[in-house]
């Protein structure tokens, strides 16, 4: 299995749906793992397998004061900036409006 640490600095509870990848190339997405991440929350998620340890994208949503926000990004090219954020860092930190700003790090 593969693991990522998620930190929520957005000020809203987030629903995060990591999209896994089948194989090393981003042409085939795999399973989706759903997790709720409370305000200020820190959580380690488990996804994929030893054969498929890559993420292909994220779907992030939140709601507050009667408004719903959602966004997604999917990797289309191996080695792209988004692929690098998702797959060369062990920690993903969500911030900004609806948690749609994302930074990868190795903590």
């Amino acid at each position: 299995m593969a693991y990522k640490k998620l930190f929520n600095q957005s000020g809203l509870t987030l629903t995060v749906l990591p999209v896994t990848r089948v194989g090393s190339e981003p042409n085939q997405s795999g399973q989706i793992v759903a997790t709720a991440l409370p305000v200020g929350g820190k959580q380690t998620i488990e996804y994929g397998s030893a054969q498929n340890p890559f993420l292909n994208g994220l779907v992030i949503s939140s709601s507050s004061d009667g408004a719903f926000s959602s966004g997604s990004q999917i990797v289309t090219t191996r080695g792209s900036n988004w692929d690098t954020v998702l797959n060369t860092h062990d920690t993903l930190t969500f911030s900004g409006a609806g948690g749609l700003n994302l930074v990868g790090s190795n903590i």
Side-chain angles (χ1 to χ4, degrees):
M1 299 305 270
Y3 300 90
K4 290 280 186 224
K5 292 177 239 170
L6 307 179
F7 292 150
N8 180 1
Q9 296 179 343
S10 73
L12 298 171
T13 296
L14 302 176
T15 298
V16 180
L17 305 172
V19 180
T20 64
R21 179 184 300 171
V22 176
S24 62
E25 295 300 323
N27 60 353
Q28 188 173 1
S29 291
Q31 294 180 322
I32 296 173
V33 181
T35 187
L37 196 57
V39 175
K42 298 175 182 180
Q43 182 176 355
T44 299
I45 60 165
E46 182 177 337
Y47 64 93
S49 65
Q51 297 80 19
N52 296 304
F54 301 105
L55 287 178
N56 228 23
L58 292 173
V59 178
I60 305 160
S61 61
S62 64
S63 63
S64 175
D65 298 324
F68 177 79
S69 172
S70 180
S72 64
Q73 283 189 286
I74 302 295
V75 174
T76 58
T77 305
R78 189 172 178 191
S80 66
N81 288 340
W82 185 236
D83 186 42
T84 299
V85 167
L86 292 181
N87 293 303
T88 65
H89 299 98
D90 63 8
T91 303
L92 302 175
T93 302
F94 301 86
S95 63
L100 298 177
N101 294 334
L102 181 75
V103 175
S105 61
N106 292 308
I107 297 176

